[in-house]
Amino acid sequence: MPIDYAKLKAWAFADLEHSYTAKDTILYALGVGCGADPVDRSELPFVYEEGLKALPTMAVVLGYPGFWLKDPATGIDWRKVLHGEQGLVIHKPLPAIGTVIGRTRVTEIIDKGPGKGALLLSERDVIDKASGDLLATLTSTTFIRGEGGFGGPSGPSPEPHPLPERAPDMAVDLPTLPQAALIYRLSGDWNPLHADPDVAIGAGFPRPILHGLCTYAVAGRAILKACCDNDPARLTRLDLRFSAPVLPGETVRTEIWRDGREVSFRARVVERDVVVLNNGRATVS
């Protein structure tokens, strides 16, 4: 069944209220690797209730509508869906404990042509329920394989952020735990691809892979560490493209270029020398 452009563009998302506790904030931070060094005091505020702070990237799991493209009414084969890009703008630091409203919308569906794919662009606002303040805006590009040719607009497509041609100014290596995907999924992404070996093998992977948004957060941690002194209030933007999966237990090396407030980056798996995140851009204060 071809994509129904008008139906998908107007897909109705109910506002999603999401309350979270200190335990949820700590669990998210543990899932993305914080606390691996138990005497690193700079990461203690993310995993200890005294003076607890939320990682900026935790916004990706707040007010999340779930894997809605699995709904048969979308007309999309969910097995053809790939997460292509993720963006985040932090308007105000996330409270460590709170209740937020997630407000999601489809902004465009780009037709790459018959026999090719489609790009679905979406946004989500994360709003503090108590104050009404906009805390974060998330943008996502989803690639839908083989679904082109439905008569939608052919562009414009998001342009990748160009990386500097010089050598990186610095690099940060962060290990992931063998059980990282099993911990991260407790923050809300229950896709069996990240837990069930049979599902992973059926999808062409040797074993369950790490969530892309977990790898995204690992790169965010590297930017916080290298450019923000682990102060979450100093990271206000984080955009990137996904290029390859990470296997839990591998080491993620984030290569960083610093140009004032703008930070360019990419990440590779050390053990396989494979770029897993590319065309990264962050803004820091």
Side-chain angles (χ1 to χ4, degrees):
M1 179 186 300
I3 288 175
D4 184 331
Y5 176 82
K7 180 180 179 180
L8 206 54
K9 181 79 182 298
W11 191 266
F13 296 88
D15 284 0
L16 197 155
E17 183 172 314
H18 183 168
S19 295
Y20 59 98
T21 66
K23 183 177 179 180
D24 298 316
T25 299
I26 292 170
L27 181 62
Y28 174 81
L30 291 172
V32 302
C34 287
D37 180 352
V39 296
D40 183 352
R41 292 186 178 276
S42 71
E43 287 196 344
L44 194 59
F46 303 122
V47 293
Y48 182 46
E49 62 275 14
E50 296 295 332
L52 181 64
K53 296 179 180 180
L55 287 169
T57 55
M58 192 176 76
V60 304
V61 301
L62 299 180
Y64 171 56
F67 191 23
W68 63 276
L69 286 172
K70 200 172 181 179
D71 185 333
T74 64
I76 291 173
D77 182 348
W78 65 271
R79 293 165 295 186
K80 296 180 178 181
V81 169
L82 297 171
H83 196 168
E85 300 176 330
Q86 181 65 46
L88 167 64
V89 175
I90 294 289
H91 305 287
K92 291 191 172 184
L94 300 177
I97 300 168
T99 298
V100 299
I101 305 297
R103 190 165 292 155
T104 301
R105 56 198 169 272
V106 173
T107 56
E108 191 55 278
I109 309 120
I110 296 172
D111 190 344
K112 305 302 288 184
K116 299 181 181 179
L119 299 178
L120 187 146
L121 312 183
S122 61
E123 292 183 353
R124 181 166 90 249
D125 289 334
V126 178
I127 301 161
D128 182 72
K129 182 182 179 183
S131 67
D133 291 341
L134 178 61
L135 300 175
T137 300
L138 298 141
T139 57
S140 182
T141 300
T142 302
F143 180 62
I144 308 169
R145 292 174 292 170
E147 294 283 358
F150 56 89
S154 59
S157 300
E159 291 293 329
H161 172 67
L163 298 179
E165 295 184 1
R166 67 181 189 272
D169 300 318
M170 62 192 89
V172 178
D173 286 4
L174 293 174
T176 64
L177 294 172
Q179 64 271 36
L182 297 174
I183 300 172
Y184 183 84
R185 69 194 302 267
L186 300 178
S187 289
D189 189 335
W190 299 94
N191 189 331
L193 179 64
H194 308 292
D196 188 328
D198 291 336
V199 172
I201 290 170
F205 300 106
R207 53 191 174 92
I209 61 173
L210 197 59
H211 303 69
L213 287 176
C214 184
T215 308
Y216 173 88
V218 172
R221 285 180 54 218
I223 302 297
L224 278 178
K225 182 181 181 70
C227 304
C228 302
D229 296 323
N230 269 336
D231 179 356
R234 293 179 57 191
L235 180 62
T236 59
R237 182 171 189 151
L238 190 72
D239 304 336
L240 54 76
R241 284 190 164 191
F242 298 102
S243 52
V246 174
L247 298 177
E250 294 182 318
T251 302
V252 177
R253 173 173 294 161
T254 303
E255 299 169 335
I256 298 168
W257 293 262
R258 181 76 185 266
D259 294 292
R261 295 185 65 233
E262 182 169 276
V263 175
S264 302
F265 66 95
R266 68 181 170 218
R268 67 177 71 242
V269 163
V270 172
E271 291 81 356
R272 293 181 285 125
D273 193 29
V274 173
V275 174
V276 294
L277 304 174
N278 213 346
N279 304 107
R281 177 179 63 173
T283 303
V284 302
S285 62

